Amino acid sequence: MFRGVRRGAAWAVLLSLTASLAGCGSGSDAGGDLTTEKVTLRFTWWGADDRHKRTQQVIDMFQKKHPNITVKGEFKEWNGYWDSLATTMAANDAPDIMQMDELYIASYAERGALFDLNEAKKHLDTANFDQKALATGAIAGKQYGLPVGLGMYSIMVNLDVLAKYNIPVPDDTKWSWDDLKKIGDQVSKAGGGQVFGVQSPGINDAAGLSIRARQQGKAMFDADAKVVLPQEIARDYWQYILDLSKSGVAAPPSVTVEKASAGLNQSATATGTAAFGLWWNTQLTALTAASGAKLKLLRLPGETQGKAPGAYYKPSMFWSVSSRSKYPAEAAAFVSFLANDEEAAKILLTERGVPANQKIREAIAGQLKDTDKAAKEYLDTVPVSDPPRITPNGASTLDTILKRHTEDVLFGRTTPDAAAAAFIKEVQAEVDAAK
């Protein structure tokens, strides 16, 4: 789920032109019957070869059930995908169905580029979706995205490292952030500079900061897209990260930044050089394969000490439909097939994350690897609160901004308090500029 964000020239084109899409109606009645005439739907997604192959198999299954509907697949890698999608949107030539990301859904929806899936309830079954999951793709009561997979933030612990140093696994039903620091210190002292207690947070994404705010009853953004994160929470977050580094609980800043830039397979968790790390539960399989170690998912620290649970559902991605589609009913029917058909699910499995559809999660459980089963169990059992407000239009660079300030704090170029003030001001400026 960690992804770099790139804003290409085509994105600027989208920002200036898609306002004209607002209020545009679709070419047919989304609440009516499916047409019996020949229909061609364009469907686009990003991903690697395995995703392409699985998705094409599911397209073929859908077309056999709906012989009058042809689905043309279009796929690209992550960065090229967004430039291409923005260009087609600006040219009023958008695909009917698209894979959408949480970082961008508000930007597209608020410019009228996405169809409200609530208008096609006759053809889109969401009965087996938790309301908190559906809320991740809703803005102002309109359903602009159907979550495909779900993830939750977790602490991933290397059990082999703890066993090597004879350190017990902490009780994750009641531990605090200070407890994580203390046990991390034990690991670092035993590791002698070769293995550290905690993989430094704040480098990959803003979820950790959001969690800390939520545990204190606060949020990053309010309903009006204003940054409402208290400066003291952001300051304390960076102070915690700085303390981990200075005390040796985490690796030195140069090592932390180098490993974070090298990707998942070279991370401290993957290389066995840190016992604990903040990760999405769905990354357990990839990190287990990369590390060759026995890893376990633990609940987040601070969940029982705070004012509210910080954990929430994070959509791996959404299925969205273009507001300009001439066939919204048929597009919704295809989305429903992707989300609800058990045979399709047995092909897709967890390639796009642990399914958001609760019934489908159970249907494929027997086919999952042990690590995917553990990720599913974590999703099914850990308490969650309502999801945060969708990343507002203009804030898609949030992770990049946070990473820069984290590095400045770690290298002593700024203080936690100054970083907190600058971060809030910068993010708000980005949101304001997009209005």
PDB file of all heavy atoms in Angstrom, residues 197-222:
ATOM      1  N   GLY A 197      15.624  -2.131  17.646  1.00  0.00           N
ATOM      2  CA  GLY A 197      14.315  -2.489  18.169  1.00  0.00           C
ATOM      3  C   GLY A 197      13.168  -2.123  17.264  1.00  0.00           C
ATOM      4  O   GLY A 197      12.262  -2.925  17.027  1.00  0.00           O
ATOM      5  N   VAL A 198      13.204  -0.894  16.726  1.00  0.00           N
ATOM      6  CA  VAL A 198      12.061  -0.382  15.979  1.00  0.00           C
ATOM      7  C   VAL A 198      12.506   0.207  14.642  1.00  0.00           C
ATOM      8  O   VAL A 198      13.489   0.951  14.579  1.00  0.00           O
ATOM      9  CB  VAL A 198      11.322   0.707  16.798  1.00  0.00           C
ATOM     10  CG1 VAL A 198      10.132   1.253  16.022  1.00  0.00           C
ATOM     11  CG2 VAL A 198      10.860   0.143  18.142  1.00  0.00           C
ATOM     12  N   GLN A 199      11.814  -0.156  13.600  1.00  0.00           N
ATOM     13  CA  GLN A 199      12.001   0.497  12.306  1.00  0.00           C
ATOM     14  C   GLN A 199      11.358   1.881  12.391  1.00  0.00           C
ATOM     15  O   GLN A 199      10.179   2.005  12.694  1.00  0.00           O
ATOM     16  CB  GLN A 199      11.336  -0.321  11.205  1.00  0.00           C
ATOM     17  CG  GLN A 199      11.402   0.319   9.821  1.00  0.00           C
ATOM     18  CD  GLN A 199      10.762  -0.584   8.781  1.00  0.00           C
ATOM     19  OE1 GLN A 199      11.356  -1.556   8.353  1.00  0.00           O
ATOM     20  NE2 GLN A 199       9.538  -0.272   8.400  1.00  0.00           N
ATOM     21  N   SER A 200      12.121   2.920  12.158  1.00  0.00           N
ATOM     22  CA  SER A 200      11.631   4.280  12.372  1.00  0.00           C
ATOM     23  C   SER A 200      10.400   4.578  11.530  1.00  0.00           C
ATOM     24  O   SER A 200      10.394   4.366  10.317  1.00  0.00           O
ATOM     25  CB  SER A 200      12.716   5.297  12.040  1.00  0.00           C
ATOM     26  OG  SER A 200      12.271   6.611  12.326  1.00  0.00           O
ATOM     27  N   PRO A 201       9.317   5.061  12.159  1.00  0.00           N
ATOM     28  CA  PRO A 201       8.117   5.445  11.392  1.00  0.00           C
ATOM     29  C   PRO A 201       8.276   6.841  10.789  1.00  0.00           C
ATOM     30  O   PRO A 201       9.303   7.492  10.964  1.00  0.00           O
ATOM     31  CB  PRO A 201       7.012   5.431  12.456  1.00  0.00           C
ATOM     32  CG  PRO A 201       7.733   5.772  13.729  1.00  0.00           C
ATOM     33  CD  PRO A 201       9.116   5.186  13.609  1.00  0.00           C
ATOM     34  N   GLY A 202       7.241   7.286  10.074  1.00  0.00           N
ATOM     35  CA  GLY A 202       7.240   8.644   9.545  1.00  0.00           C
ATOM     36  C   GLY A 202       7.926   8.817   8.219  1.00  0.00           C
ATOM     37  O   GLY A 202       8.008   9.935   7.698  1.00  0.00           O
ATOM     38  N   ILE A 203       8.443   7.741   7.647  1.00  0.00           N
ATOM     39  CA  ILE A 203       9.151   7.834   6.368  1.00  0.00           C
ATOM     40  C   ILE A 203       8.245   7.448   5.208  1.00  0.00           C
ATOM     41  O   ILE A 203       8.286   8.058   4.136  1.00  0.00           O
ATOM     42  CB  ILE A 203      10.403   6.928   6.370  1.00  0.00           C
ATOM     43  CG1 ILE A 203      11.399   7.406   7.432  1.00  0.00           C
ATOM     44  CG2 ILE A 203      11.056   6.918   5.002  1.00  0.00           C
ATOM     45  CD1 ILE A 203      12.015   8.744   7.160  1.00  0.00           C
ATOM     46  N   ASN A 204       7.417   6.443   5.402  1.00  0.00           N
ATOM     47  CA  ASN A 204       6.641   5.911   4.285  1.00  0.00           C
ATOM     48  C   ASN A 204       5.315   6.620   4.039  1.00  0.00           C
ATOM     49  O   ASN A 204       4.969   6.907   2.901  1.00  0.00           O
ATOM     50  CB  ASN A 204       6.376   4.414   4.489  1.00  0.00           C
ATOM     51  CG  ASN A 204       7.622   3.584   4.289  1.00  0.00           C
ATOM     52  OD1 ASN A 204       8.318   3.753   3.307  1.00  0.00           O
ATOM     53  ND2 ASN A 204       7.926   2.721   5.234  1.00  0.00           N
ATOM     54  N   ASP A 205       4.532   6.858   5.077  1.00  0.00           N
ATOM     55  CA  ASP A 205       3.246   7.512   4.855  1.00  0.00           C
ATOM     56  C   ASP A 205       2.768   8.208   6.114  1.00  0.00           C
ATOM     57  O   ASP A 205       3.399   8.127   7.169  1.00  0.00           O
ATOM     58  CB  ASP A 205       2.192   6.530   4.310  1.00  0.00           C
ATOM     59  CG  ASP A 205       1.851   5.425   5.300  1.00  0.00           C
ATOM     60  OD1 ASP A 205       1.988   5.648   6.520  1.00  0.00           O
ATOM     61  OD2 ASP A 205       1.446   4.336   4.852  1.00  0.00           O
ATOM     62  N   ALA A 206       1.627   8.908   5.990  1.00  0.00           N
ATOM     63  CA  ALA A 206       1.107   9.722   7.097  1.00  0.00           C
ATOM     64  C   ALA A 206       0.159   8.953   8.002  1.00  0.00           C
ATOM     65  O   ALA A 206      -0.407   9.534   8.927  1.00  0.00           O
ATOM     66  CB  ALA A 206       0.400  10.956   6.530  1.00  0.00           C
ATOM     67  N   ALA A 207      -0.015   7.660   7.754  1.00  0.00           N
ATOM     68  CA  ALA A 207      -0.972   6.895   8.549  1.00  0.00           C
ATOM     69  C   ALA A 207      -0.601   6.867  10.022  1.00  0.00           C
ATOM     70  O   ALA A 207      -1.467   6.928  10.893  1.00  0.00           O
ATOM     71  CB  ALA A 207      -1.091   5.472   8.006  1.00  0.00           C
ATOM     72  N   GLY A 208       0.697   6.770  10.326  1.00  0.00           N
ATOM     73  CA  GLY A 208       1.117   6.736  11.718  1.00  0.00           C
ATOM     74  C   GLY A 208       0.733   8.000  12.469  1.00  0.00           C
ATOM     75  O   GLY A 208       0.267   7.947  13.610  1.00  0.00           O
ATOM     76  N   LEU A 209       0.907   9.146  11.827  1.00  0.00           N
ATOM     77  CA  LEU A 209       0.513  10.416  12.438  1.00  0.00           C
ATOM     78  C   LEU A 209      -0.998  10.484  12.599  1.00  0.00           C
ATOM     79  O   LEU A 209      -1.506  10.948  13.631  1.00  0.00           O
ATOM     80  CB  LEU A 209       1.016  11.580  11.585  1.00  0.00           C
ATOM     81  CG  LEU A 209       0.626  12.990  12.039  1.00  0.00           C
ATOM     82  CD1 LEU A 209       1.044  13.239  13.476  1.00  0.00           C
ATOM     83  CD2 LEU A 209       1.244  14.029  11.106  1.00  0.00           C
ATOM     84  N   SER A 210      -1.716  10.015  11.617  1.00  0.00           N
ATOM     85  CA  SER A 210      -3.178  10.001  11.694  1.00  0.00           C
ATOM     86  C   SER A 210      -3.660   9.129  12.845  1.00  0.00           C
ATOM     87  O   SER A 210      -4.573   9.497  13.590  1.00  0.00           O
ATOM     88  CB  SER A 210      -3.776   9.502  10.372  1.00  0.00           C
ATOM     89  OG  SER A 210      -5.184   9.451  10.443  1.00  0.00           O
ATOM     90  N   ILE A 211      -3.013   7.973  13.019  1.00  0.00           N
ATOM     91  CA  ILE A 211      -3.365   7.065  14.118  1.00  0.00           C
ATOM     92  C   ILE A 211      -3.169   7.760  15.467  1.00  0.00           C
ATOM     93  O   ILE A 211      -4.030   7.695  16.353  1.00  0.00           O
ATOM     94  CB  ILE A 211      -2.513   5.783  14.062  1.00  0.00           C
ATOM     95  CG1 ILE A 211      -2.901   4.907  12.855  1.00  0.00           C
ATOM     96  CG2 ILE A 211      -2.626   4.995  15.362  1.00  0.00           C
ATOM     97  CD1 ILE A 211      -4.230   4.228  12.966  1.00  0.00           C
ATOM     98  N   ARG A 212      -2.027   8.430  15.630  1.00  0.00           N
ATOM     99  CA  ARG A 212      -1.746   9.100  16.906  1.00  0.00           C
ATOM    100  C   ARG A 212      -2.787  10.179  17.193  1.00  0.00           C
ATOM    101  O   ARG A 212      -3.215  10.362  18.343  1.00  0.00           O
ATOM    102  CB  ARG A 212      -0.341   9.711  16.878  1.00  0.00           C
ATOM    103  CG  ARG A 212       0.772   8.700  16.720  1.00  0.00           C
ATOM    104  CD  ARG A 212       0.904   7.768  17.922  1.00  0.00           C
ATOM    105  NE  ARG A 212       1.479   8.430  19.069  1.00  0.00           N
ATOM    106  CZ  ARG A 212       2.778   8.473  19.347  1.00  0.00           C
ATOM    107  NH1 ARG A 212       3.639   7.866  18.551  1.00  0.00           N
ATOM    108  NH2 ARG A 212       3.215   9.080  20.434  1.00  0.00           N
ATOM    109  N   ALA A 213      -3.212  10.901  16.155  1.00  0.00           N
ATOM    110  CA  ALA A 213      -4.237  11.935  16.333  1.00  0.00           C
ATOM    111  C   ALA A 213      -5.576  11.303  16.709  1.00  0.00           C
ATOM    112  O   ALA A 213      -6.267  11.778  17.620  1.00  0.00           O
ATOM    113  CB  ALA A 213      -4.374  12.757  15.054  1.00  0.00           C
ATOM    114  N   ARG A 214      -5.949  10.231  16.028  1.00  0.00           N
ATOM    115  CA  ARG A 214      -7.229   9.573  16.271  1.00  0.00           C
ATOM    116  C   ARG A 214      -7.289   9.004  17.690  1.00  0.00           C
ATOM    117  O   ARG A 214      -8.341   9.036  18.327  1.00  0.00           O
ATOM    118  CB  ARG A 214      -7.449   8.472  15.232  1.00  0.00           C
ATOM    119  CG  ARG A 214      -7.747   9.010  13.845  1.00  0.00           C
ATOM    120  CD  ARG A 214      -7.563   7.929  12.772  1.00  0.00           C
ATOM    121  NE  ARG A 214      -8.460   6.813  12.981  1.00  0.00           N
ATOM    122  CZ  ARG A 214      -9.734   6.774  12.582  1.00  0.00           C
ATOM    123  NH1 ARG A 214     -10.270   7.818  11.975  1.00  0.00           N
ATOM    124  NH2 ARG A 214     -10.476   5.703  12.795  1.00  0.00           N
ATOM    125  N   GLN A 215      -6.163   8.492  18.180  1.00  0.00           N
ATOM    126  CA  GLN A 215      -6.145   7.956  19.540  1.00  0.00           C
ATOM    127  C   GLN A 215      -6.400   9.053  20.582  1.00  0.00           C
ATOM    128  O   GLN A 215      -6.811   8.761  21.698  1.00  0.00           O
ATOM    129  CB  GLN A 215      -4.811   7.268  19.819  1.00  0.00           C
ATOM    130  CG  GLN A 215      -4.658   5.944  19.097  1.00  0.00           C
ATOM    131  CD  GLN A 215      -3.328   5.279  19.377  1.00  0.00           C
ATOM    132  OE1 GLN A 215      -2.374   5.916  19.811  1.00  0.00           O
ATOM    133  NE2 GLN A 215      -3.250   3.970  19.124  1.00  0.00           N
ATOM    134  N   GLN A 216      -6.166  10.293  20.203  1.00  0.00           N
ATOM    135  CA  GLN A 216      -6.405  11.415  21.105  1.00  0.00           C
ATOM    136  C   GLN A 216      -7.701  12.149  20.764  1.00  0.00           C
ATOM    137  O   GLN A 216      -7.920  13.280  21.199  1.00  0.00           O
ATOM    138  CB  GLN A 216      -5.215  12.369  21.067  1.00  0.00           C
ATOM    139  CG  GLN A 216      -3.936  11.707  21.566  1.00  0.00           C
ATOM    140  CD  GLN A 216      -2.724  12.611  21.509  1.00  0.00           C
ATOM    141  OE1 GLN A 216      -2.711  13.676  22.116  1.00  0.00           O
ATOM    142  NE2 GLN A 216      -1.703  12.195  20.766  1.00  0.00           N
ATOM    143  N   GLY A 217      -8.553  11.491  19.967  1.00  0.00           N
ATOM    144  CA  GLY A 217      -9.848  12.067  19.639  1.00  0.00           C
ATOM    145  C   GLY A 217      -9.786  13.174  18.615  1.00  0.00           C
ATOM    146  O   GLY A 217     -10.748  13.945  18.465  1.00  0.00           O
ATOM    147  N   LYS A 218      -8.687  13.271  17.873  1.00  0.00           N
ATOM    148  CA  LYS A 218      -8.509  14.325  16.879  1.00  0.00           C
ATOM    149  C   LYS A 218      -8.419  13.721  15.479  1.00  0.00           C
ATOM    150  O   LYS A 218      -8.471  12.513  15.306  1.00  0.00           O
ATOM    151  CB  LYS A 218      -7.257  15.153  17.184  1.00  0.00           C
ATOM    152  CG  LYS A 218      -7.251  15.763  18.581  1.00  0.00           C
ATOM    153  CD  LYS A 218      -8.390  16.749  18.781  1.00  0.00           C
ATOM    154  CE  LYS A 218      -8.345  17.364  20.178  1.00  0.00           C
ATOM    155  NZ  LYS A 218      -9.457  18.330  20.394  1.00  0.00           N
ATOM    156  N   ALA A 219      -8.276  14.580  14.476  1.00  0.00           N
ATOM    157  CA  ALA A 219      -8.222  14.116  13.088  1.00  0.00           C
ATOM    158  C   ALA A 219      -7.259  14.988  12.291  1.00  0.00           C
ATOM    159  O   ALA A 219      -6.845  16.063  12.744  1.00  0.00           O
ATOM    160  CB  ALA A 219      -9.612  14.170  12.463  1.00  0.00           C
ATOM    161  N   MET A 220      -6.913  14.515  11.104  1.00  0.00           N
ATOM    162  CA  MET A 220      -6.055  15.290  10.208  1.00  0.00           C
ATOM    163  C   MET A 220      -6.855  16.390   9.509  1.00  0.00           C
ATOM    164  O   MET A 220      -6.424  17.544   9.424  1.00  0.00           O
ATOM    165  CB  MET A 220      -5.430  14.366   9.159  1.00  0.00           C
ATOM    166  CG  MET A 220      -4.371  15.026   8.291  1.00  0.00           C
ATOM    167  SD  MET A 220      -2.750  15.125   9.075  1.00  0.00           S
ATOM    168  CE  MET A 220      -2.256  13.399   9.043  1.00  0.00           C
ATOM    169  N   PHE A 221      -8.049  16.021   9.006  1.00  0.00           N
ATOM    170  CA  PHE A 221      -8.897  16.956   8.272  1.00  0.00           C
ATOM    171  C   PHE A 221     -10.315  16.914   8.838  1.00  0.00           C
ATOM    172  O   PHE A 221     -10.761  15.875   9.330  1.00  0.00           O
ATOM    173  CB  PHE A 221      -8.967  16.590   6.782  1.00  0.00           C
ATOM    174  CG  PHE A 221      -7.636  16.533   6.088  1.00  0.00           C
ATOM    175  CD1 PHE A 221      -7.008  15.309   5.855  1.00  0.00           C
ATOM    176  CD2 PHE A 221      -7.002  17.692   5.654  1.00  0.00           C
ATOM    177  CE1 PHE A 221      -5.793  15.239   5.215  1.00  0.00           C
ATOM    178  CE2 PHE A 221      -5.772  17.631   5.016  1.00  0.00           C
ATOM    179  CZ  PHE A 221      -5.168  16.408   4.796  1.00  0.00           C
ATOM    180  N   ASP A 222     -11.033  18.027   8.711  1.00  0.00           N
ATOM    181  CA  ASP A 222     -12.451  18.003   9.045  1.00  0.00           C
ATOM    182  C   ASP A 222     -13.278  17.826   7.776  1.00  0.00           C
ATOM    183  O   ASP A 222     -12.721  17.679   6.679  1.00  0.00           O
ATOM    184  CB  ASP A 222     -12.866  19.259   9.818  1.00  0.00           C
ATOM    185  CG  ASP A 222     -12.760  20.551   9.010  1.00  0.00           C
ATOM    186  OD1 ASP A 222     -12.580  20.486   7.768  1.00  0.00           O
ATOM    187  OD2 ASP A 222     -12.869  21.639   9.616  1.00  0.00           O
TER     188      ASP A 222
END
